[in-house]
Amino acid sequence: MASLKKTFSTRNMPPDVERFSRKGVEYARWKDREGKMQTGRVNAAGRLITESSTWYAKYRGADGVVRVEPTGCRDKTAAASRLAALVQEQEKIKGGIITEEEAVVSKSMGADLSATIADYIAHMKALGRSKAHIYSVNMYLTRGVKELGWKTIRSLSASGLSTWLDVQAITPKIKDKPESIMGAKTHNAILTAWGGFANWLKKRRRIMYNPFSDLSKRNESAHRKHVRRMLSDDELLRLFAAAEHRPLQDALKGNRGRREKMVKTEADLTDATKDRLGWLGRVRSMTYRTAASTGLRLGELRAIRLGDVMLDDELPHMLLRAGDEKNRKGSIIPVPGMLLPLLQNYTQERLRRLAGRRAALPGAFAMERLFPIPDKMCDVIADDYRAAGIEIVDASGRCVDFHVLRSVFATRLARANTPVHIAQKLMRHSDPKLTLNIYTHTRLEDMVGAVNGLPDFQPAVAKRPRVMNEVGSAAPTVAPTVAPDADFLGQREAIPVILELDTHCSTEECKECVLSADSAGFQNMAGKKDGVPGGTRTPNLLVRSQALYPIELQVHIMNCVGCAC
């Protein structure tokens, strides 16, 4: 039988307690923190017995095991309703109406959604996800909760999310800018965030299935707002030079001031300041060079330590730790030969500046960053592009940024005819399709070179006049068995060969055998009389081996060609 009960626990006596007996039972009286008088029984060991403030439900489950669960109700009537619901749930499990898992999930469906999202973010932090990824996921989830009005886990709805995304795709965020609608990349990022959150809930038996698994993503290639373009070798060299010299050149610019007397053609800088600015430019230039030569991302370049650089090994390389890589796997980054001497000189100078005038022990600066660049580089690299005379956005709307340097690395791999599976490893792509897409984009110059090799359009070649015989009719012609050598345009038509036939040949057999472009000639004759294979299906063949004809017909042909009758 199901029943309600309260649980009891023991604890130490509070201070200033007053003990007394009533009907042979010992009690204690004391004041709590709020100053209210409390009374409780005392056991034989002299400990205070306290009673729970809420009721507990005791019932037998579908598996026959007796269970005791808190109802969370202080009122006994409300606790009885909760007990009845628990008993009814077990009866449904016994009858096969619901499963045990569905019963467990139903208890979590009413949980607060915002608090559950906070638990999910804490779980991602425990797994070591990047700060940028955690920030974006939290932003997308909290935005959805706010704008969709979802309060509990039970509120999650695929139709609600899909409708909201459709509205965002056609509603500009800024009224005066129609292009400020939600792009395909943001659309897909929101779907990915909610899909990952739903999968996490499913693994913890808080929902039965992922309600967002059937929602379709948009084509990012067809709705890209920021389309990157490639950099030419000349633009790359200009960027490297501008990045190296710009810090010092900007500092040396004269300050005109607010008055005419404050005009300066060049700023006064100390040697130490010039040295510091020159080194700052060298750090930026080497950062760009390394990105274009290895394909490392900005965050990965920032995370590489001096101890991760192995330039003296037989195969020079850099170690990219799993926690610093985008896919969290860790990789070995080979250093190309063109970059090796520059990187060696840079690393030695970096160690010298860290040590100063002191003699540093080996490995003393192993945990120092190889490239001490700031966290925010968008404005810095944009100014470097402008200093190099490179447009940030060209006339067709294509842009350049730091990530373009990674695409430059892919372009160079494609031009070197690197196999796709090796390029995939060098680019550290999880899917070869990503590498193939980049190859398709970066090989545009090769495709242009191929179509530029096509010949120009030429006027039609005039047909040769047909040679007339003495009677006034066209002389019979046949194509030669071997075509002559073609010029660059190729042979467009058969070259007629004039057969010198006597016009006084009047036999019916000879007339039927004359070869011409308007009759089947010998082929018809062979097909009708001797059943030559293919004679009736393939008339007017330009080249026909005489070996296919019967011997008596071959003799007749030879006699007819040189007929003297």
Side-chain angles (χ1 to χ4, degrees):
M1 287 291 294
S3 61
L4 294 173
K5 70 172 188 175
K6 288 189 175 183
T7 60
F8 297 89
S9 60
T10 62
R11 63 186 181 91
N12 295 329
M13 286 285 185
D16 301 330
V17 65
E18 179 186 355
R19 301 177 65 170
F20 63 95
S21 299
R22 181 185 299 169
K23 296 181 180 182
V25 179
E26 189 174 3
Y27 291 88
R29 184 183 294 115
W30 74 96
K31 289 184 178 181
D32 59 13
R33 295 178 180 180
E34 297 179 358
K36 295 181 180 180
M37 191 63 67
Q38 303 289 338
T39 303
R41 290 186 301 167
V42 180
N43 63 7
R47 293 176 61 83
L48 186 63
I49 301 175
T50 57
E51 185 181 52
S52 62
S53 59
T54 59
W55 291 92
Y56 282 75
K58 182 180 179 180
Y59 63 97
R60 188 177 298 275
D63 53 0
V65 178
V66 177
R67 303 177 182 179
V68 177
E69 293 185 9
T71 62
C73 302
R74 295 177 181 269
D75 182 65
K76 189 174 183 179
T77 304
S81 300
R82 175 61 181 159
L83 175 61
L86 291 173
V87 173
Q88 185 180 13
E89 180 182 78
Q90 296 302 314
E91 292 296 330
K92 290 181 179 180
I93 295 175
K94 286 182 180 180
I97 300 176
I98 61 174
T99 63
E100 184 73 23
E101 184 177 2
E102 291 174 343
V104 173
V105 168
S106 64
K107 297 177 182 179
S108 304
M109 297 295 287
D112 182 70
L113 187 56
S114 298
T116 307
I117 290 176
D119 295 340
Y120 176 59
I121 297 300
H123 171 72
M124 295 179 65
K125 292 180 179 179
L127 293 179
R129 298 290 187 262
S130 65
K131 293 182 180 180
H133 178 64
I134 293 175
Y135 173 81
S136 61
V137 170
N138 187 32
M139 178 183 65
Y140 294 141
L141 294 180
T142 52
R143 179 184 177 184
V145 170
K146 180 180 179 181
E147 299 193 17
L148 291 170
W150 291 343
K151 301 296 182 183
T152 62
I153 297 178
R154 187 177 288 107
S155 305
L156 298 179
S157 169
S159 60
L161 181 61
S162 178
T163 302
W164 176 70
L165 290 175
D166 292 341
V167 173
Q168 298 300 315
I170 60 176
T171 305
K173 189 176 181 180
I174 303 175
K175 294 182 178 180
D176 298 337
K177 295 183 178 181
E179 68 276 7
S180 63
I181 58 176
M182 179 182 290
K185 186 175 182 179
T186 304
H187 174 100
N188 295 342
I190 293 176
L191 282 184
T192 302
W194 279 106
F197 175 62
N199 288 331
W200 178 79
L201 292 175
K202 181 181 178 181
K203 290 180 180 179
R204 279 150 183 77
R205 301 180 70 184
R206 298 189 184 184
I207 57 176
M208 289 296 299
Y209 61 93
N210 183 353
F212 312 114
S213 59
D214 294 334
L215 295 182
S216 302
K217 293 184 177 181
R218 293 168 57 186
N219 186 359
E220 296 185 17
S221 300
H223 301 86
R224 293 179 63 182
K225 292 184 177 180
H226 304 284
V227 180
R228 296 184 177 94
R229 70 174 182 88
M230 296 299 103
L231 294 175
S232 63
D233 292 345
D234 178 67
E235 289 175 326
L236 280 173
L237 295 176
R238 283 156 46 196
L239 176 63
F240 299 155
E244 184 170 359
H245 299 104
R246 189 176 67 83
L248 181 58
Q249 289 177 352
D250 288 350
L252 289 174
K253 288 181 179 179
N255 182 14
R256 295 183 178 181
R258 297 182 179 179
R259 299 179 182 178
E260 296 180 358
K261 295 182 180 180
M262 296 180 64
V263 176
K264 290 185 178 181
T265 58
E266 184 175 324
D268 297 330
L269 300 178
T270 62
D271 294 338
T273 301
K274 292 180 180 179
D275 180 70
R276 178 179 59 83
L277 294 175
W279 172 247
L280 177 61
R282 187 177 177 186
V283 170
R284 291 181 190 171
S285 179
M286 279 303 304
T287 302
Y288 299 160
R289 282 183 179 271
T290 306
S293 303
T294 61
L296 287 168
R297 303 175 178 89
L298 179 59
E300 295 168 345
L301 283 167
R302 189 183 292 114
I304 290 181
R305 305 291 190 262
L306 287 171
D308 300 330
V309 182
M310 311 295 178
L311 301 180
D312 296 331
D313 287 6
E314 183 179 358
L315 299 175
H317 63 278
M318 293 182 289
L319 299 177
L320 184 58
R321 305 185 185 188
D324 300 327
E325 193 175 15
K326 183 179 179 180
N327 59 10
R328 295 297 189 267
K329 292 182 179 180
S331 299
I332 298 177
I333 310 299
V335 177
M338 61 179 179
L339 181 65
L340 182 59
L342 299 175
L343 196 57
Q344 286 176 335
N345 294 336
Y346 170 82
T347 304
Q348 294 174 0
E349 181 65 16
R350 172 77 170 135
L351 289 172
R352 188 189 68 79
R353 288 178 176 272
L354 287 172
R357 297 180 180 179
R358 300 170 298 172
L361 297 174
F365 303 104
M367 296 306 296
E368 293 291 335
R369 292 192 297 177
L370 177 63
F371 300 107
I373 53 180
D375 294 337
K376 297 182 179 180
M377 283 284 294
C378 296
D379 295 338
V380 174
I381 192 171
D383 291 340
D384 288 337
Y385 275 124
R386 296 187 185 97
I390 302 173
E391 293 182 347
I392 304 298
V393 181
D394 61 8
S396 61
R398 299 177 302 171
C399 62
V400 291
D401 53 10
F402 189 91
H403 201 73
V404 166
L405 300 175
R406 179 171 166 82
S407 299
V408 167
F409 178 63
T411 305
R412 297 172 68 86
L413 291 177
R415 290 176 178 174
N417 295 323
T418 305
V420 176
H421 68 282
I422 296 179
Q424 178 188 355
K425 292 182 179 180
L426 292 172
M427 293 294 294
R428 292 169 285 119
H429 283 153
S430 59
D431 191 344
K433 293 181 180 179
L434 299 174
T435 311
L436 290 173
N437 289 338
I438 292 180
Y439 265 48
T440 303
H441 182 67
T442 56
R443 298 297 295 268
L444 178 60
E445 294 182 2
D446 297 337
M447 292 188 290
V448 171
V451 297
N452 285 339
L454 295 175
D456 194 5
F457 296 100
Q458 299 292 335
V461 178
K463 293 185 178 181
R464 297 177 177 87
R466 300 191 66 176
V467 179
M468 307 301 292
N469 55 21
E470 297 177 358
V471 181
S473 60
T477 61
V478 295
T481 56
V482 179
D485 294 338
D487 57 4
F488 73 98
L489 291 176
Q491 181 181 347
R492 285 192 170 92
E493 62 180 7
I495 299 176
V497 177
I498 309 303
L499 299 180
E500 299 293 339
L501 301 181
D502 289 339
T503 56
H504 63 274
C505 181
S506 58
T507 61
E508 290 296 327
E509 242 181 300
C510 285
K511 290 181 180 180
E512 291 183 3
C513 297
V514 175
L515 295 176
S516 68
D518 299 327
S519 64
F522 290 131
Q523 297 180 29
N524 281 349
M525 180 178 181
K528 293 178 181 179
K529 296 183 178 181
D530 301 280
V532 177
T536 57
R537 290 194 177 186
T538 55
N540 292 325
L541 292 178
L542 295 180
V543 179
R544 170 72 76 171
S545 175
Q546 296 181 1
L548 296 177
Y549 296 95
I551 296 177
E552 60 274 12
L553 185 58
Q554 296 181 28
V555 174
H556 178 72
I557 293 174
M558 298 303 297
N559 292 336
C560 189
V561 170
C563 182
C565 59

